[in-house]
Amino acid sequence: MYSRPVPRGPLRRVAVTGSTHGNEMSGVSLVQHWRRAPEELQRPSFSALPVLANPRAAAACRRYVDLDLNRAFISTFLTARPQPDDPYEVTRARELNQLLGPKASSQAFDFVLDLHNTTANMGACFICNNADNVFTMHLCRYLQLQNPETLSHVYLYQKPEEESYSVDSLGRNGMGLELGPQPQGVLRADLFTQMRTLVAQTLDFIELFNKGTTFPAFEMEAYRALDHVDFPRTEAGELAGAVHPRLQDRDFEALRPGEPIFQMFSGEDVLYRGPGTVYPVFINEAAYYEKGIAFISAEKLRFPVPALPAPAPAP
Amino acid sequence: MYSRPVPRGPLRRVAVTGSTHGNEMSGVSLVQHWRRAPEELQRPSFSALPVLANPRAAAACRRYVDLDLNRAFISTFLTARPQPDDPYEVTRARELNQLLGPKASSQAFDFVLDLHNTTANMGACFICNNADNVFTMHLCRYLQLQNPETLSHVYLYQKPEEESYSVDSLGRNGMGLELGPQPQGVLRADLFTQMRTLVAQTLDFIELFNKGTTFPAFEMEAYRALDHVDFPRTEAGELAGAVHPRLQDRDFEALRPGEPIFQMFSGEDVLYRGPGTVYPVFINEAAYYEKGIAFISAEKLRFPVPALPAPAPAP
């Protein structure tokens, strides 16, 4: 399960990316602020680089200009010969691959933390492609221990055999930090402060690791994506119902067969017909309507994470 | 103060418009539903017409395509000779003026109800250009009496001498119905149901009036727009602070001089420096960032509304 190598040396090249989705305002505003005041991202052993991942989308306050940048870091796009009519985000993915990669190579950044917001009631969610990265699992554990009063979850999105496609997959290690609920195009002070604190704690964790701290083995609880569930729609594709009030805002809570998931405009309820209990996430996320996703069903996992040894001293 | 004539006959031509802003999903989805099931808008004395005001913006799930349709119903746009490169919403404003107008003329629709959502914590808000329309003031009062458990407010947006510019100004009478908070691009079942109920009650009120009901004089409480307040920004126009946590979500509550309105990214608070108490509305509305509006300060008014006499019998 742990195919990614544990870092053998200190992490020196660290990036924090915002505006990967241009209307997710906590990360957009934080990165804009850090570009004016980079000292906040400094630690004794490294300085993290603030990166405005999708400046055109941020300027337009849209998720993307031509296509979703956070699905664009795939070999088809990264290795193809550039064309004049390439979508903006394909060009931008190649630029970021040059800046932070080449993707997951030994020359890539040591850690990429990518900042997101969701309209779903997800609280603080640490998004990893899978559980194979011991370093990132320990980071998630550290963030949970530092914030005992905050609801936070670890979410594993990548299907087996699926190619990674997100900004943070450029780094040798990486993670998405998702905070919600926040409307697209809105900056809430409470989530801004929460994200700022979580980023600072991430840098603190890297600093602790760089200084030779070891972290003991533990058991991780996480949620792994199973299926996408679309809204009920008419033949023309228009919505025919909404997320049921009894499901709305209940991200990461158990959904059992027979419980309602949609309320049709005609009045009746649509019940969940799956074979067993699942844990819905990204319930009613604005950006997922166009992807045909009303929510993603996930399973809850518990698995052991081995100890994180101290890195070898810097050469 | 009451320059608009009280309707002298029954209101037969009634329209309910949605998607005036294409990412305000309660109205978009309701109008799409009513176009499939128009019987819900029928009353004994009339049938309301569901109108998808901005179909291209709805299809793209954006507020607008070229410019804000709900500012486009001004004589400059409505009377100018059409040009091939007119913005989409200018063309659409002329089409709607033909369908529902000519604007505020004796040939215009008797009532236009325009459906909106806001990301601000506005609850149910009845938006009128000014208080000069006795019929609409009585409608607001009726809706408040029908929903005693719901927080609802009357908001008057038009400055003296300012030309009306909204969709509902096409009709001889009209009103905007604003429900929040709801993120752009998200349909919440609770707000969908609330808006559906308020529209049904609006049609019920018109039906009562048409049948000869009289409504007694009363005293109205309403909020009238004073000033726009922008976010603190850098010289480059980037945000330098967020709406203060003590102001966020407090629409229609008193804001006194010396109370905080913004939290700067650098840490300090910005205090309200106005001369007296105001009532902020549209606090942190996503669509207003590009307009340079963090909130609108309003004053609270109380004024008498005369009785609404029954209409003359239909000829």
Side-chain angles (χ1 to χ4, degrees):
Chain A
M1 197 163 184
Y2 302 105
S3 58
R4 284 227 195 186
V6 171
R8 280 174 297 186
L11 281 64
R12 306 281 186 203
R13 302 174 71 216
V14 176
V16 184
T17 51
S19 92
T20 300
H21 296 137
N23 54 11
E24 295 176 8
M25 295 286 283
S26 303
V28 172
S29 297
L30 276 168
V31 166
Q32 287 176 336
H33 175 66
W34 289 325
R35 282 153 58 103
R36 300 190 297 267
E39 61 280 4
E40 191 173 323
L41 299 185
Q42 289 172 8
R43 294 295 180 277
S45 65
F46 69 99
S47 295
L49 177 71
V51 176
L52 204 61
N54 195 334
R56 282 200 203 167
C61 199
R62 290 169 57 181
R63 183 174 175 88
Y64 56 81
V65 177
D66 290 323
L67 55 81
D68 191 335
L69 177 63
N70 212 31
R71 306 291 183 274
F73 296 88
I74 53 176
S75 57
T76 314
F77 289 156
L78 296 181
T79 63
R81 183 190 299 271
Q83 303 292 331
D85 59 349
D86 277 334
Y88 169 67
E89 277 82 5
V90 170
T91 302
R92 188 65 187 141
R94 292 195 191 106
E95 292 170 358
L96 291 168
N97 191 43
Q98 284 203 317
L99 177 68
L100 305 176
K103 179 176 171 179
S105 70
S106 59
Q107 288 78 51
F109 263 55
D110 294 311
F111 199 91
V112 176
L113 179 65
D114 190 36
L115 306 181
H116 289 268
N117 292 120
T118 172
T119 64
N121 187 30
M122 300 268 282
C125 182
F126 311 131
I127 301 194
C128 309
N129 54 347
N130 57 47
D132 76 354
N133 190 314
V134 172
F135 183 84
T136 303
M137 293 296 106
H138 276 275
L139 166 61
C140 294
R141 172 70 167 173
Y142 177 82
L143 294 174
Q144 289 180 327
L145 292 174
Q146 291 291 309
N147 302 281
E149 75 296 346
T150 304
L151 206 60
S152 66
H153 297 91
V154 175
Y155 174 61
L156 312 171
Y157 71 86
Q158 196 174 354
K159 297 260 160 62
E161 313 303 320
E162 189 182 42
E163 184 183 4
S164 63
Y165 48 68
S166 60
V167 174
D168 56 88
S169 71
L170 288 180
R172 301 173 72 185
N173 305 275
M175 187 177 87
L177 172 56
E178 183 89 61
L179 292 191
Q182 182 172 265
Q184 295 178 343
V186 167
L187 181 71
R188 287 186 65 100
D190 49 0
L191 269 74
F192 179 90
T193 300
Q194 187 184 11
M195 185 174 276
R196 192 178 200 169
T197 301
L198 286 163
V199 172
Q201 292 168 340
T202 297
L203 304 186
D204 294 345
F205 174 79
I206 295 173
E207 178 66 20
L208 284 172
F209 175 79
N210 285 354
K211 285 202 299 206
T213 309
T214 58
F215 295 87
F218 69 97
E219 189 174 66
M220 169 65 91
E221 181 182 280
Y223 296 80
R224 184 162 60 190
L226 291 172
D227 288 309
H228 296 174
V229 180
D230 194 12
F231 291 92
R233 294 182 189 267
T234 67
E235 283 187 15
E238 294 176 350
L239 295 179
V243 168
H244 198 280
R246 283 173 56 190
L247 179 61
Q248 177 71 46
D249 303 327
R250 303 249 175 118
D251 300 76
F252 296 108
E253 294 185 25
L255 173 68
R256 296 171 192 85
E259 293 181 337
I261 51 176
F262 298 112
Q263 193 171 61
M264 301 296 289
F265 300 159
S266 52
E268 62 274 22
D269 286 350
V270 176
L271 307 181
Y272 175 59
R273 297 288 183 202
T277 297
V278 292
Y279 298 83
V281 298
F282 285 109
I283 298 169
N284 219 349
E285 157 58 38
Y288 287 0
Y289 280 66
E290 68 175 20
K291 297 181 195 288
I293 302 173
F295 63 88
I296 299 175
S297 68
E299 59 182 336
K300 194 195 297 203
L301 306 173
R302 295 189 72 87
F303 52 88
V305 177
L308 181 64
Chain B
M1 196 163 184
Y2 302 107
S3 58
R4 283 226 195 186
V6 170
R8 280 175 297 187
L11 280 65
R12 307 283 187 200
R13 300 174 71 217
V14 176
V16 184
T17 51
S19 91
T20 299
H21 296 137
N23 54 11
E24 296 176 7
M25 294 287 283
S26 304
V28 171
S29 297
L30 276 167
V31 165
Q32 287 176 336
H33 175 67
W34 289 325
R35 282 155 56 105
R36 301 188 298 265
E39 61 280 3
E40 191 172 324
L41 299 185
Q42 290 173 7
R43 294 295 181 274
S45 65
F46 70 99
S47 294
L49 178 70
V51 176
L52 203 62
N54 196 332
R56 281 199 205 167
C61 198
R62 290 169 56 180
R63 183 174 175 90
Y64 56 80
V65 177
D66 291 323
L67 55 81
D68 192 334
L69 177 64
N70 212 32
R71 306 292 182 275
F73 296 88
I74 53 177
S75 58
T76 314
F77 289 156
L78 297 181
T79 62
R81 184 189 300 268
Q83 302 293 332
D85 58 349
D86 278 335
Y88 169 67
E89 277 83 5
V90 170
T91 303
R92 188 65 188 142
R94 293 196 189 105
E95 292 170 357
L96 290 167
N97 191 42
Q98 283 204 317
L99 176 68
L100 304 175
K103 180 177 171 179
S105 70
S106 59
Q107 288 79 50
F109 263 55
D110 294 309
F111 199 91
V112 176
L113 179 65
D114 190 35
L115 305 181
H116 289 269
N117 293 120
T118 173
T119 64
N121 188 29
M122 300 268 283
C125 182
F126 311 131
I127 301 193
C128 310
N129 53 348
N130 56 46
D132 76 354
N133 190 316
V134 173
F135 183 84
T136 303
M137 292 295 108
H138 276 276
L139 165 62
C140 294
R141 172 72 167 170
Y142 177 83
L143 294 175
Q144 289 180 327
L145 293 174
Q146 292 291 309
N147 302 281
E149 76 295 346
T150 303
L151 207 59
S152 67
H153 297 92
V154 175
Y155 174 62
L156 312 172
Y157 71 87
Q158 197 174 354
K159 298 259 161 61
E161 313 303 319
E162 189 182 44
E163 183 184 6
S164 64
Y165 48 68
S166 60
V167 173
D168 56 88
S169 71
L170 289 179
R172 302 174 72 185
N173 305 276
M175 187 176 87
L177 172 56
E178 184 88 61
L179 292 191
Q182 183 173 266
Q184 296 178 341
V186 167
L187 181 71
R188 286 185 65 100
D190 49 1
L191 270 73
F192 180 91
T193 300
Q194 187 184 10
M195 185 173 275
R196 192 178 201 168
T197 301
L198 286 163
V199 172
Q201 291 168 341
T202 298
L203 304 186
D204 294 343
F205 174 80
I206 295 173
E207 177 66 23
L208 285 171
F209 176 79
N210 286 354
K211 284 201 299 203
T213 309
T214 59
F215 296 88
F218 68 97
E219 190 173 65
M220 170 65 92
E221 180 182 280
Y223 296 79
R224 184 162 61 190
L226 291 172
D227 287 310
H228 296 176
V229 179
D230 194 10
F231 292 92
R233 295 181 188 268
T234 67
E235 284 187 14
E238 293 177 350
L239 295 179
V243 168
H244 199 281
R246 284 174 54 190
L247 179 62
Q248 177 71 46
D249 302 328
R250 303 249 174 119
D251 301 78
F252 296 108
E253 294 185 25
L255 173 68
R256 296 170 191 85
E259 293 182 336
I261 52 176
F262 297 112
Q263 193 171 62
M264 301 296 288
F265 300 159
S266 52
E268 61 276 21
D269 287 349
V270 176
L271 308 181
Y272 175 59
R273 297 287 182 203
T277 297
V278 293
Y279 298 84
V281 299
F282 285 108
I283 299 169
N284 220 347
E285 157 58 38
Y288 288 0
Y289 281 66
E290 68 175 20
K291 298 181 195 286
I293 302 174
F295 63 89
I296 300 174
S297 68
E299 59 182 336
K300 195 196 294 206
L301 305 173
R302 296 188 71 88
F303 52 88
V305 176
L308 180 65

